[in-house]
Amino acid sequence: MAGMNDVAKRANVSIATVSRVLNNSSNVNEATRIRILKAIKELNYKPSRVAKRLRSKSMSGNLLGVLIPDIENPFYVDVLRGIEEVAYKNNYAIIMCNFGQDEKKEKLYLEILQSESIDGLIVAPAREDDLQLKKMVKDGLPVVCVDRGLTEIDVDVVLVDNIKGAFLAVDHLAKSGYKRIAYIAGLPSIPSSKLREEGYRNALELNGIEFDEQLIKYGNSKYESGVELCKQLLELPLPPDAVFTGNNLITLGALETIHTNGLAIPGDIAIVGFDDMQWSNSLNPPLTAVRQPAIEIGKRASELLIQRINDPSRPAIQMILHAELMKRSSS
Amino acid sequence: MAGMNDVAKRANVSIATVSRVLNNSSNVNEATRIRILKAIKELNYKPSRVAKRLRSKSMSGNLLGVLIPDIENPFYVDVLRGIEEVAYKNNYAIIMCNFGQDEKKEKLYLEILQSESIDGLIVAPAREDDLQLKKMVKDGLPVVCVDRGLTEIDVDVVLVDNIKGAFLAVDHLAKSGYKRIAYIAGLPSIPSSKLREEGYRNALELNGIEFDEQLIKYGNSKYESGVELCKQLLELPLPPDAVFTGNNLITLGALETIHTNGLAIPGDIAIVGFDDMQWSNSLNPPLTAVRQPAIEIGKRASELLIQRINDPSRPAIQMILHAELMKRSSS
DNA sequence: TTTTTCAATGAAAACGTTTACATTGCATAA
DNA sequence: TTATGCAATGTAAACGTTTTCATTGAAAAA
């Protein structure tokens, strides 16, 4: 790979001048500029982002880090799409890490990202009180959280109103006449699981339904936990007549179990999921779901991050987006 | 951020010795080793991957690039999971880029990856004769292709037997008595679209079904094209009685259209898709699909790439995995 | 003419590592 | 005693940029 040195030699100038042309800084003679550009073409020279990042520490390395909990979840895929779209437009590249709900992996990836001298980070932290992450924020790394925040520290956050979203879902079930409404939650350690439980409880209370401990099941936010926990619910002496699932993957897992057991939806059991999918309509039956504007979340996060990179002292913003209930025929 | 220099000072040694400890190279006194490790702890020193990569060009920067066509497609998400799993085990980080079937974006990302001095690249190229990519291979960058290869050049490839996979699907439809079998394909520019057409034609011929030009529709491999092209098929004077869809997203899109039109599956129209999904069973109706071992593909690709990084002269391998027909009730 | 000014360019340091080579002692061999 | 060898460590160059400061030379001002 040809470097600036080769270009400089071929154009009979110093590397400084080449650099000036590259960053179209002022005061370079038109003739030499052309000569240098020609040399660049001929050598097929491409600047090294690595060297650039090393040299100008806090200058634009044009690199963002993204750290997400589970790439199997279509919600995060959409968030990612949103992030990428805005980043691309602003000339940032992305280094994307998926920690698959594994906190050890999350820790490692945080270190790697830091070590790659990223300009900023978008993350859905596994826990709200992550010391390592909080330290990075304190040390001045621009960070935007999505889906979850960070305690005791001011940081930009973009998320949906989880309590209200869950309330919408469960209230809808209650109003439709279901009495034993279960909640299959994700990881207990992630805030949204708890907030959605809160919305769930609110809706029960408002509709005069007594809360039954047995009808709440916490899992690990993955497909398999949806399968397994739904099975447990169905085996209860008094099984639920409706289930509210805590995320995309759990919903799909629960559907699997319900179908395996040959139950009719919503006849035998109704289901409303958190997170909508583009093809929810093609599920059996078309799924009623709480829609998070995932792409929008990603876009906003990207925007906030780039803003913060350009103005690190801007006060932190918490951006709460709207969740919407998409009524279809599973409830 | 503390650097090696700070560590060296605090431990009263030269940076060379610190480096030796870090790479646990031989010949460093146990006492000083301990002193240095202590300093590292105290300063919370983390080596800079950027500096490391810059310094030792073709030495282990421990960074792989992955360039995929469409992260919305669950197939690629699974491939990615496989790649990541193996990479993680071998201490490689991944910089992942999604070009969303946009060739301009692909080009840009190729440049960025190159410019980031990655050690190797896993890619599903948009076209088989991509000059830029071929040049990178020729220039010695270790590359493994997934899902598609590269013409006129020896490069490792991991993919599924597309012809046979498509044959399995269409043969099954034919044997089930369907006569007018349509094929909704992806982008005409990607090899697998054509290969799957070949399998489709083979199956038709073998079953004595005459080929009808009108029943093949090429699109852009995305959900929306599935929706639109399926609609066009249904509006035909003689609509198909079965449809074979060219990938995950197309399948989902076609399902959407079929449902919107209130048709029964497989009564009014049967459907078999290329690419299985974990939750195919929860679709309406449970989807018959050709399963590609996506995670396996990713793992193999990762393995091949790491092998090649360690031994650049190893002859290229073409690894063809098995596709399997998952018979469910949509056909 | 001599000085001043300014556009155009170059030299060299710095970013944080790795590594080839040089240096230091000390133990052992002669 | 003087060599010799070897373990432990240090010095400095290199990776490919950006950037500060210095230098050049010609035009403008004195």
Side-chain angles (χ1 to χ4, degrees):
Chain A
M1 285 282 318
M4 267 191 19
N5 246 307
D6 308 290
V7 174
K9 258 176 213 138
R10 173 174 272 250
N12 267 312
V13 292
S14 73
I15 54 170
T17 309
V18 176
S19 177
R20 277 186 273 257
V21 168
L22 253 48
N23 306 294
N24 43 40
S25 103
S26 49
N27 291 346
V28 34
N29 185 288
E30 193 53 23
T32 49
R33 147 167 282 123
I34 289 173
R35 195 150 31 93
I36 290 175
L37 288 175
K38 185 157 157 274
I40 288 178
K41 270 268 152 55
E42 290 169 350
L43 292 174
N44 187 31
Y45 162 78
K46 296 282 155 46
S48 155
R49 294 174 57 94
V50 179
K52 184 183 280 195
R53 277 224 296 301
L54 177 59
R55 167 54 220 238
S56 31
K57 233 1 197 181
S58 65
M59 242 285 287
S60 63
N62 281 14
L63 184 64
L64 303 183
V66 178
L67 186 51
I68 61 169
D70 190 1
I71 200 176
E72 290 176 72
N73 187 325
F75 167 70
Y76 288 114
V77 173
D78 280 348
V79 172
L80 204 52
R81 283 212 292 153
I83 293 173
E84 203 261 350
E85 185 181 324
V86 173
Y88 180 75
K89 273 190 193 133
N90 288 274
N91 236 308
Y92 279 91
I94 284 183
I95 170 163
M96 192 280 275
C97 303
N98 164 235
F99 61 92
Q101 309 281 18
D102 175 347
E103 293 193 31
K104 221 176 84 201
K105 229 173 193 174
E106 183 192 23
K107 194 170 158 54
L108 178 75
Y109 278 137
L110 272 179
E111 278 175 13
I112 289 183
L113 286 172
Q114 188 164 214
S115 170
E116 285 285 352
S117 301
I118 54 173
D119 298 318
L121 171 67
I122 297 179
V123 57
R127 26 184 77 255
E128 283 188 302
D129 57 352
D130 188 310
L131 281 179
Q132 190 181 3
L133 186 52
K134 277 157 79 168
K135 183 161 189 321
M136 287 166 71
V137 177
K138 273 184 208 140
D139 290 352
L141 179 71
V143 169
V144 174
C145 291
V146 290
D147 195 48
R148 324 149 179 197
L150 235 33
T151 54
E152 295 167 2
I153 205 169
D154 273 345
V155 64
D156 292 326
V157 184
V158 183
L159 38 55
V160 102
D161 187 337
N162 281 295
I163 300 182
K164 188 166 160 211
F167 177 88
L168 251 35
V170 178
D171 184 61
H172 167 67
L173 283 169
K175 294 268 193 299
S176 304
Y178 298 98
K179 295 294 178 206
R180 283 186 65 71
I181 305 173
Y183 169 38
I184 307 184
L187 279 163
S189 54
I190 62 184
S192 54
S193 298
K194 293 294 184 186
L195 293 171
R196 289 169 197 179
E197 175 176 343
E198 198 175 328
Y200 165 79
R201 283 175 183 257
N202 290 351
L204 290 190
E205 192 177 339
L206 196 91
N207 286 277
I209 299 179
E210 200 180 344
F211 170 69
D212 180 349
E213 185 88 50
Q214 289 190 305
L215 293 183
I216 295 201
K217 298 278 185 188
Y218 272 85
N220 71 355
S221 297
K222 300 202 160 196
Y223 181 87
E224 291 76 15
S225 84
V227 174
E228 173 59 23
L229 295 176
C230 185
K231 206 168 116 208
Q232 290 180 20
L233 284 172
L234 294 180
E235 285 165 354
L236 244 36
L238 242 69
D241 57 1
V243 52
F244 166 54
T245 44
N247 79 12
N248 257 336
L249 264 17
I250 296 172
T251 307
L252 263 3
L255 279 178
E256 164 78 25
T257 295
I258 295 176
H259 287 136
T260 303
N261 283 38
L263 298 177
I265 305 174
D268 296 322
I269 188 167
I271 181 167
V272 174
F274 210 104
D275 292 333
D276 199 22
M277 293 158 283
Q278 194 169 22
W279 28 270
S280 286
N281 210 28
S282 296
L283 287 171
N284 178 21
L287 181 76
T288 300
V290 179
R291 176 179 178 276
Q292 296 196 63
I295 298 186
E296 179 80 7
I297 292 178
K299 282 192 196 171
R300 294 295 183 189
S302 243
E303 286 166 8
L304 285 181
L305 184 57
I306 293 171
Q307 274 177 28
R308 173 161 305 282
I309 290 171
N310 295 328
D311 173 14
S313 66
R314 161 170 76 58
I317 290 178
Q318 183 163 38
M319 199 177 272
I320 299 186
L321 273 44
H322 242 56
E324 184 186 1
L325 183 67
M326 311 297 288
K327 292 186 194 167
R328 303 199 184 85
S329 41
S330 69
S331 61
Chain B
M1 284 286 315
M4 266 193 18
N5 246 308
D6 309 288
V7 174
K9 258 178 214 136
R10 173 174 273 249
N12 268 312
V13 292
S14 76
I15 55 171
T17 309
V18 176
S19 178
R20 277 187 272 256
V21 168
L22 253 49
N23 305 296
N24 44 39
S25 100
S26 49
N27 292 345
V28 36
N29 185 288
E30 192 54 22
T32 48
R33 148 168 279 122
I34 289 174
R35 196 149 31 94
I36 290 175
L37 288 176
K38 187 156 156 272
I40 288 178
K41 270 269 152 54
E42 290 169 350
L43 292 174
N44 186 31
Y45 162 78
K46 297 280 156 45
S48 156
R49 295 173 58 93
V50 179
K52 184 183 280 194
R53 277 225 295 300
L54 178 59
R55 169 53 222 238
S56 30
K57 232 4 198 180
S58 65
M59 242 285 288
S60 63
N62 282 16
L63 183 65
L64 304 182
V66 179
L67 186 51
I68 61 170
D70 191 0
I71 199 176
E72 290 175 73
N73 187 325
F75 167 70
Y76 289 114
V77 173
D78 280 349
V79 172
L80 204 53
R81 284 212 292 152
I83 293 173
E84 203 261 350
E85 186 182 322
V86 173
Y88 180 75
K89 274 192 193 133
N90 288 274
N91 237 309
Y92 279 90
I94 283 182
I95 171 163
M96 192 282 275
C97 303
N98 164 235
F99 61 91
Q101 309 280 18
D102 175 347
E103 293 192 32
K104 222 176 83 201
K105 230 174 193 172
E106 182 192 25
K107 194 169 157 55
L108 178 75
Y109 278 137
L110 271 180
E111 276 176 15
I112 289 183
L113 287 171
Q114 188 163 217
S115 169
E116 285 285 352
S117 301
I118 53 173
D119 298 319
L121 171 67
I122 296 178
V123 57
R127 28 184 78 254
E128 284 188 302
D129 57 352
D130 187 310
L131 281 179
Q132 190 179 5
L133 186 52
K134 277 158 77 168
K135 182 160 190 321
M136 288 167 70
V137 176
K138 272 182 208 143
D139 289 353
L141 180 70
V143 169
V144 174
C145 291
V146 289
D147 194 49
R148 324 151 180 196
L150 235 34
T151 53
E152 293 167 2
I153 204 170
D154 273 345
V155 64
D156 292 325
V157 185
V158 183
L159 39 54
V160 103
D161 187 338
N162 281 296
I163 299 181
K164 188 166 160 211
F167 178 87
L168 252 34
V170 178
D171 184 62
H172 167 68
L173 282 169
K175 294 268 191 300
S176 305
Y178 298 98
K179 296 291 177 211
R180 284 186 64 73
I181 305 174
Y183 168 39
I184 307 183
L187 280 164
S189 53
I190 62 184
S192 54
S193 298
K194 294 294 183 187
L195 293 172
R196 289 170 196 178
E197 175 177 343
E198 197 175 329
Y200 164 80
R201 283 175 183 256
N202 290 351
L204 290 191
E205 192 177 340
L206 196 90
N207 286 276
I209 299 179
E210 200 180 344
F211 170 69
D212 181 349
E213 185 89 51
Q214 288 190 307
L215 293 184
I216 295 201
K217 298 280 185 187
Y218 273 86
N220 71 356
S221 298
K222 299 203 161 197
Y223 181 88
E224 292 75 16
S225 84
V227 173
E228 173 59 23
L229 296 177
C230 185
K231 206 169 115 208
Q232 291 179 20
L233 284 172
L234 294 180
E235 285 166 355
L236 244 36
L238 242 68
D241 57 1
V243 52
F244 166 54
T245 44
N247 79 13
N248 258 336
L249 262 17
I250 296 172
T251 308
L252 262 3
L255 280 178
E256 164 79 25
T257 295
I258 296 176
H259 286 137
T260 303
N261 283 38
L263 298 177
I265 306 174
D268 296 322
I269 187 167
I271 180 167
V272 174
F274 211 104
D275 292 335
D276 199 24
M277 294 158 283
Q278 193 169 26
W279 28 269
S280 285
N281 210 27
S282 296
L283 288 170
N284 178 22
L287 181 76
T288 300
V290 179
R291 176 178 178 277
Q292 297 195 63
I295 298 186
E296 180 80 7
I297 291 177
K299 282 192 197 172
R300 295 294 182 189
S302 242
E303 286 166 8
L304 284 182
L305 184 57
I306 293 171
Q307 275 177 27
R308 174 161 302 284
I309 290 172
N310 295 328
D311 173 14
S313 66
R314 161 171 76 57
I317 290 179
Q318 183 163 38
M319 198 178 271
I320 299 186
L321 272 43
H322 242 56
E324 184 187 1
L325 182 67
M326 312 296 290
K327 293 185 191 166
R328 303 200 185 83
S329 41
S330 69
S331 62

